[in-house]
Every structure is written in C-alpha cells, then in structure tokens.
Amino acid sequence: MQKQKSKNLLYLSLILFIAFFLTVFKITFHFIDIIRDFFHAYTNFPVMEFVFNFSYILLLSFVLLIYRRWKNEFNERKGDEEALLSLRAAVSNMQIGVTVTNPEGKIIFTNQADAEMHGYSTDELIGRDSRIFSPHSTWKPMFQPVRKRFKRESINIRKDGTTFPVYLMSDIVTNRQGQIIATITTCEDITERKRNEETIQTLAFYDSLTGLPNRSLFIDRLGQELAKAQRQRQMMAIMFIDLDRFKIINDTLGHAAGDLLLQAVAKRLKESIREGDTVSRLGGDEFLLLFPDITQVKDISVIAEKIIYEFSEAFTVNDKELFVSASLGISIFPDNSGHIETLIKNADTAMYYAKQQGRNNYQFYSPKIDAYTTKKLEIEANLRKAIANNEFLLYYQPQVNLNTGEITGAEALLRWQPMDQSFISPAEFIPIAEEVGLIQPIGEWIFRSVCRQLKQWQEAGLRPIRISVNVSMNQFRQNTFMEILLGILEEMDIRPDCLELEITESTMMHDTGLTTTMLHELRARGIHIAIDDFGTGYSSLSYLKYLPISRLKLDQSFVHSLGINPNDEAISRAIIAMAHSLNLQVVAEGVENEEQLLLLKSYDCDEVQGFLFSKALAADDFIKFIDSYHNRSIVNDKIYSTTSL
C-alpha cells in the first residue's frame, strides 16, 4: 500500500513538472510581445501607471516573501541536517549499543558499540532481521511492527553463538499521522553486573569456606518447607551436627588443616543426604540439615546412622588420615514444634545431649532432654558463683604401697555442694566447667587449696606426703598454667616433690612438642608426673620413654574386671610389665575387694587406691585415717585391721 502511494506521487510530480516547463517556455517565447504591449498600455493610458506600479510593488513583495520563506526553510533544513549529522555521530560513538529498525523489523542503523558487542561489523547488520541478536529458540513471527515501549533484561547471542545477559530499552518513532516509522533499541551488556550480583548473593547466602548454604538461606528454606508441611500435613526433620573434638585437630595441625577438614566433612555430608534435602554450615564445626517429606521417624534414624557410619572412615587432609566423629541432635515437625527457631533450638539441645552420652551418636529431642539442658544451665550459672561462695571442697583418697603397706600419697578429688543443696557429682559439673571455660579458675583454686592443706599438715608435724591433682587438657594448654602453678608453690613454700600432676593420654599426645617441653620443665622443678586412666586412650607406647613420667595409673575399668575377664587380666599384667621395663611405677585405682588386691600384688603392681582401703575423705578425716592406719598391715597377701573408721 505504501509503495503504491509513492508510485502515484511520482507520476503526479512528473505531470506537474511538464506543465510548469511548457508554461515557462510559452512565457519566454512571447516575452517580447508582452513587453511591447506593457509599454503601449502604459503610454496611452496614464491611469494604468498607478495600477502597474502597484502591481509591480505587490509582485515584488510577493517574490520577496517567497524568497524569505524559502531561505528560512533552507536554513532550518540545513540546521536539521547538521543536527542529524551531529546526532548520528554522537550515537555512533556511544558506548551503549543503539539499533534502529524499520516497521518490518529490518535493521536500518546500528552503532559500532552494538555491532562489536554482538561480534559483527556495522555493514554486516544493515538490512538484517533484528531478531539476529536473539537466540533462535526465542524467535517469534514478526507479522507487525512493535507497538509498545519496553524495558527488560534478556539474553542475546553473539555471532560465534555464545550468549550473554543484556538490558534492553526500546522506543517507537511515529510520523505526524501517528504511524510507526522506526523502532530505536538500546542494548547494554550486563555480564559484569550479573557476576557481581551472583557474588553478592553467594556472600549473603552461602558459606565462603564450604560453599554450603549459610544460616540465612537455611532458615529461608526451612520456612518454605515448614509452610508446605503444615499445608500438606507432612512430617519433616532438622538435624544439628557438631564435630567431636574438632578443636584439638584445629589447634594441633593448624587452622589451614582445620579448614580442609571442614571442606571434606561438608562434601561427605552432601553425599550422605537425599536429593531435596539441605545441608548448611552455621559456622565453626556446626552444621544444620533439613529433611522435608519424612514419612516416619525411622527414616531420619536411617539417615543419622548412615552419617555416623560415613564419619567412621578417615578424612584425608594434606596426605594425613584424620578421624573425627560427630554428635547429632534431631527435632521433628510437628512433634517437637511448629516454629523455626524452636525446631533449631530443640535440635541443638538434642545434639548437646548426644555429646553428654559419649559423643559419636544421635539423639532425638524430648522433654526429658529439655529438663536435662535446663539443669545444665542451672549448674553453669551456679558454677560461676561457686568459688566466691566457697562451695568447693577437696577430699583425699589414700594411695597404699603394696610392698611396704604404707600410705605414700593421696589423690585430691573435687567435691561441690551448692548452698542449701546436696553434693553434685564431678561427672556432672566438670564437663560443664570445661565447656564454658571455668575449669581454669577452678583448677587454680584446687592447686592453691592443696598447697594450703599441705602447709597445714607440715606445720602440724605430719610427715611429707605426695598429693596427686588431676589436670584437664584445657587447663594444661593455658599459657599461664606453668606460671600460676610455680607461683603458688613458691607462695605457699611447698616442696615441689609433694605435688603430682595427673594428665590423661589425650593431653599427653596433644601438641607433643610443647607438651614434652612443659613436662620436662615441670619434672626438672621436682614435680611428679603421672598418666591417668592409662589404657583407655590412644597414646604411642614408644613415646612414653621420651616423657619424664613417674607413674602410670591403671584405669579402674581393668581393675573391676580382675578375676572376671581374662582379657582385662592379661592387659593389666602387660601394662604393669611394660611400665616396669620403662622404670615407671603403676598405681591401680578402684580396688574394692581382696581378690583384686591379691591379683594386683601377684602382678607386682606398686600401689593401689580404692574403697578396699578407704573412700575419699575430708581433710580432718584423712588425718584420722593416717593416725589409725599404723594398726593396719598387709601380711601374707591378707589385710588385717584392728581399727575401722
């Protein structure tokens, strides 16, 4: 239709031009006759002079008017052309892509930036379908021109077939009749912006070390799954995981190795869960797992057992095999709660209960566990006031030499009796004290109290006696441990050989270089060193000969089995024989009957302690026991006593 109108206009212009040419030709041909007639009329008819002069002026004015209008239009046209040229140059040099298409969708102009962005030259694009910038799979039939303005993000394709994200802005150009004559589209490559957005997204919702979702993303997913479970009346579960003794590995091998271990743990956890489950890292060595669509509690038990089994395999870090277990706590929707934070808190509570049950196991949340946690918090709160309130006591359990029958020492045992309450077992409050960082001030109080008691006994004329004090790993690792201990001995004027430190095998094997240095320095000062609960840890036996150890304490779990379990009897004999070969003495703890005593004596055990001789006693009762003990003796493998307490 448009082409037909243009053709008709061309024909009309041609006809008018021919008519104009013939008229000008005729006027020129008769020009002399017209001039002669004009002068004849002007001479014979003076009245016409005015008419001709006026007509001449009018004609001249009309010609001048036409000329000025033509000049203005020429100047305006020239200005428009210059402006268009300037605009074209500006658009051509813009850093953002600009493309102009006709109503049929053909490219009639594109600037250098747009062409280069898509891998073309400008000449290659002129006359091409504008859909060339879009992946072919997104092409739509172009029956009519675009009739609306738009702004949107899209995906464009380059000449080489690669795609990239863009931001498009399109506008239409119309003539005076409102007809669309062109579409102008700007195109901006937003690859870098998208990359930055993804980086921000990753930092905001993913853990930078493991790549796992962080707490924010986990809670978001938990909220969605919780809403779904509530609508569909489904069961779901949350699992809280904490690595056991991770801090020891981190401190021993360094944080770099610890980070590699956490990455390996994250990978193994992802491999252990189902598709659709979520594993996230809260921070440190804590992980949260989400299990939607649980049909029965047994399902989550199977997953928990699988995770514990997977953790039984060694993790390889820097060509070293590391073993780390995990404690798991589980809360169930709808049984345990319908609120996000409560579900997480309950799973956390169950995890801590799993640690209290010996680690490397899983526990489901229950009100019983909540009561246990409440009690634990109460114990922690009271512990913080126990020293100031003078609530701690020291009891002493005698140690007897099997060869001479003499009391050669005692083990100081801590007791705690909060105000207006009964005694709390050390098995309950010592782990809590270590967990919350109170073991250091408590340990310092024990050292000071033991030295004060030794001073009192010496002033009372009691012969010097060796007192053994248990030292936890957290206490031993403190930078100020040595300074505090030696300062107390000097302050109380106590002979160092009256004090014996009992450390566990795990403490001895932690950071062996530093441990060896500290133990040698302590032994050089005269302080005795004993390994407590020997046989229950994983110490290197060959390493014992390099440590300044005085004695080994045979764990009571072996002593209790004497006369019952032949294997434990063999282990006990082997430990005693090995210790003697290294010039070490052996103290058997937990001796409760004569059969155990006689077997230990036959194994050449050096010393014993246990209820067979005495329970742990308060300081005054301990003095009474020593005073009366001269009436006791070990003769012919029998215990005879004429005095009892």
Side-chain angles (χ1 to χ4, degrees):
M1 191 67 168
Q2 188 72 17
K3 290 182 178 180
Q4 186 62 40
K5 288 182 179 181
S6 300
K7 193 176 292 184
N8 292 340
L9 183 61
L10 178 63
Y11 291 151
L12 179 61
S13 299
L14 182 61
I15 293 171
L16 291 175
F17 176 76
I18 293 173
F20 175 76
F21 177 77
L22 291 176
T23 301
V24 171
F25 178 77
K26 182 177 179 181
I27 291 173
T28 304
F29 185 76
H30 295 288
F31 181 72
I32 297 174
D33 293 338
I34 293 172
I35 294 299
R36 187 179 58 248
D37 291 343
F38 171 75
F39 280 105
H40 177 74
Y42 182 77
T43 304
N44 296 321
F45 301 98
V47 179
M48 294 298 294
E49 179 180 358
F50 173 78
V51 175
F52 280 114
N53 287 338
F54 179 78
S55 299
Y56 176 77
I57 293 171
L58 185 62
L59 178 61
L60 185 61
S61 299
F62 181 70
V63 172
L64 181 61
L65 180 63
I66 292 176
Y67 170 76
R68 290 187 63 182
R69 184 171 181 180
W70 170 82
K71 185 176 181 180
N72 289 337
E73 290 179 353
F74 175 79
N75 290 336
E76 289 178 1
R77 192 181 305 113
K78 185 178 180 181
D80 290 343
E81 290 177 355
E82 292 176 352
L84 287 173
L85 288 174
S86 299
L87 180 61
R88 183 185 182 93
V91 172
S92 297
N93 294 321
M94 287 178 63
Q95 297 301 311
I96 192 170
V98 179
T99 297
V100 181
T101 58
N102 63 18
E104 286 73 37
K106 302 297 182 181
I107 298 174
I108 59 178
F109 171 81
T110 185
N111 69 349
Q112 189 70 23
D114 208 9
E116 291 179 353
M117 188 187 308
H118 293 87
Y120 296 92
S121 66
T122 54
D123 294 339
E124 287 182 281
L125 293 173
I126 301 301
R128 301 286 292 274
D129 192 319
S130 59
R131 292 175 297 178
I132 193 174
F133 294 146
S134 304
H136 195 274
S137 59
T138 65
W139 282 23
K140 297 179 181 179
M142 191 173 289
F143 298 116
Q144 57 185 5
V146 177
R147 295 187 177 276
K148 62 180 181 179
R149 301 172 176 86
F150 64 82
K151 299 178 182 179
R152 67 166 182 260
E153 291 184 4
S154 185
I155 298 295
N156 276 14
I157 188 169
R158 298 185 181 91
K159 185 179 181 179
D160 61 7
T162 59
T163 58
F164 63 104
V166 294
Y167 181 72
L168 302 176
M169 293 178 58
S170 186
D171 206 347
I172 55 176
V173 181
T174 60
N175 58 18
R176 293 179 180 179
Q177 288 73 40
Q179 297 173 322
I180 298 175
I181 60 175
T183 301
I184 302 176
T185 303
T186 60
C187 177
E188 180 183 1
D189 185 347
I190 57 174
T191 302
E192 190 65 27
R193 192 183 84 188
K194 284 292 184 182
R195 188 179 296 115
N196 292 337
E197 289 176 356
E198 290 175 0
T199 301
I200 294 173
Q201 179 82 358
T202 300
L203 292 175
F205 296 107
Y206 289 88
D207 174 54
S208 58
L209 177 64
T210 62
L212 296 176
N214 61 14
R215 181 184 178 89
S216 298
L217 183 55
F218 179 86
I219 290 178
D220 180 69
R221 291 184 182 178
L222 174 57
Q224 296 178 27
E225 293 297 340
L226 185 59
K228 175 185 172 184
Q230 289 171 336
R231 289 194 306 269
Q232 301 180 0
R233 299 182 180 277
Q234 292 179 331
M235 185 182 295
M236 60 175 287
I238 291 176
M239 182 182 294
F240 202 115
I241 297 180
D242 186 87
L243 304 185
D244 297 329
R245 299 185 177 91
F246 172 75
K247 192 174 188 304
I248 298 176
I249 295 175
N250 212 29
D251 292 344
T252 303
L253 301 180
H255 292 284
D259 288 346
L260 291 176
L261 177 59
L262 289 174
Q263 291 172 344
V265 167
K267 183 174 182 292
R268 192 169 294 185
L269 284 176
K270 287 192 291 186
E271 294 171 349
S272 301
I273 62 176
R274 311 166 304 171
E275 185 177 356
D277 297 339
T278 297
V279 54
S280 68
R281 180 181 177 228
L282 292 186
D285 59 342
E286 294 180 334
F287 298 84
L288 258 180
L289 284 70
L290 171 62
F291 301 97
D293 304 326
I294 298 293
T295 57
Q296 53 184 343
V297 175
K298 184 180 178 181
D299 295 343
I300 196 66
S301 296
V302 171
I303 297 173
E305 290 170 0
K306 180 182 178 183
I307 290 174
I308 290 176
Y309 174 77
E310 292 292 336
F311 273 61
S312 65
E313 297 292 328
F315 292 89
T316 303
V317 175
N318 292 333
D319 298 327
K320 293 182 179 179
E321 286 191 344
L322 300 179
F323 290 89
V324 60
S325 61
S327 298
L328 287 59
I330 303 166
S331 62
I332 303 291
F333 169 83
D335 297 349
N336 300 141
S337 179
H339 300 284
I340 292 175
E341 292 299 332
T342 305
L343 281 170
I344 295 175
K345 180 183 73 67
N346 290 344
D348 188 16
T349 300
M351 182 274 294
Y352 274 105
Y353 186 72
K355 282 189 177 294
Q356 294 297 325
Q357 301 309 302
R359 298 182 173 87
N360 194 32
N361 69 94
Y362 67 93
Q363 298 289 332
F364 285 90
Y365 173 80
S366 68
K368 178 187 73 172
I369 292 178
D370 215 12
Y372 167 81
T373 305
T374 301
K375 182 180 179 181
K376 175 187 168 185
L377 293 175
E378 182 182 346
I379 289 175
E380 178 185 341
N382 291 333
L383 264 177
R384 297 185 181 277
K385 300 177 291 185
I387 295 178
N389 293 338
N390 198 29
E391 296 173 354
F392 287 125
L393 299 170
L394 282 180
Y395 278 51
Y396 301 88
Q397 187 171 37
Q399 295 173 339
V400 178
N401 187 299
L402 283 180
N403 295 318
T404 65
E406 294 180 337
I407 297 176
T408 53
E411 180 179 0
L413 298 171
L414 183 65
R415 297 291 183 263
W416 178 32
Q417 186 176 20
M419 298 179 64
D420 302 325
Q421 296 184 37
S422 58
F423 281 99
I424 297 179
S425 168
E428 285 189 64
F429 71 83
I430 291 295
I432 297 175
E434 290 189 342
E435 181 183 332
V436 300
L438 293 175
I439 196 65
Q440 288 82 19
I442 292 175
E444 183 177 348
W445 180 89
I446 292 174
F447 282 136
R448 193 172 295 279
S449 299
V450 165
C451 290
R452 184 182 296 112
Q453 189 63 67
L454 282 170
K455 187 69 173 177
Q456 291 177 1
W457 287 340
Q458 290 177 14
E459 291 175 350
L462 187 69
R463 66 179 176 83
I465 189 172
R466 182 191 66 240
I467 302 297
S468 299
V469 177
N470 290 280
V471 179
S472 75
M473 181 186 297
N474 291 338
Q475 184 182 4
F476 189 76
R477 289 208 310 259
Q478 291 297 308
N479 295 331
T480 58
F481 172 77
M482 185 93 67
E483 178 184 351
I484 291 174
L485 175 57
L486 296 178
I488 292 174
L489 287 172
E490 183 177 357
E491 177 188 344
M492 299 290 182
D493 191 23
I494 298 298
R495 287 169 41 187
D497 62 350
C498 290
L499 187 65
E500 180 176 71
L501 304 183
E502 294 186 7
I503 63 174
T504 62
E505 292 180 75
S506 56
T507 301
M508 181 185 68
M509 297 306 297
H510 171 74
D511 195 355
T512 54
L514 178 61
T515 300
T516 301
T517 301
M518 289 183 63
L519 292 180
H520 275 286
E521 185 172 350
L522 289 169
R523 190 69 190 94
R525 299 296 184 105
I527 299 172
H528 297 282
I529 308 295
I531 297 181
D532 194 19
D533 302 331
F534 189 81
T536 60
Y538 304 95
S539 60
S540 172
L541 298 180
S542 63
Y543 188 63
L544 292 178
K545 62 184 179 181
Y546 298 110
L547 295 175
I549 299 169
S550 306
R551 301 190 302 166
L552 302 180
K553 297 197 70 175
L554 182 65
D555 187 68
Q556 59 183 345
S557 62
F558 297 111
V559 176
H560 289 169
S561 299
L562 294 179
I564 301 173
N565 189 327
N567 291 331
D568 284 344
E569 291 179 16
I571 292 174
S572 299
R573 282 197 305 270
I575 291 175
I576 294 171
M578 179 206 66
H580 288 165
S581 68
L582 295 174
N583 295 318
L584 302 177
Q585 290 187 329
V586 178
V587 181
E589 53 185 352
V591 179
E592 297 180 352
N593 57 58
E594 291 189 12
E595 183 180 8
Q596 295 168 352
L597 176 68
L598 296 176
L599 285 172
L600 288 168
K601 198 168 189 302
S602 69
Y603 301 158
D604 292 329
C605 184
D606 300 290
E607 296 182 1
V608 292
Q609 71 180 76
F611 286 174
L612 179 62
F613 293 93
S614 174
K615 62 181 180 179
L617 302 168
D620 292 342
D621 292 334
F622 182 74
I623 293 296
K624 295 177 182 178
F625 177 80
I626 291 179
D627 289 341
S628 64
Y629 190 76
H630 67 277
N631 294 321
R632 295 183 178 212
S633 62
I634 301 175
V635 180
N636 298 325
D637 299 333
K638 295 282 186 180
I639 299 178
Y640 298 94
S641 174
T642 58
T643 304
S644 61
L645 294 176

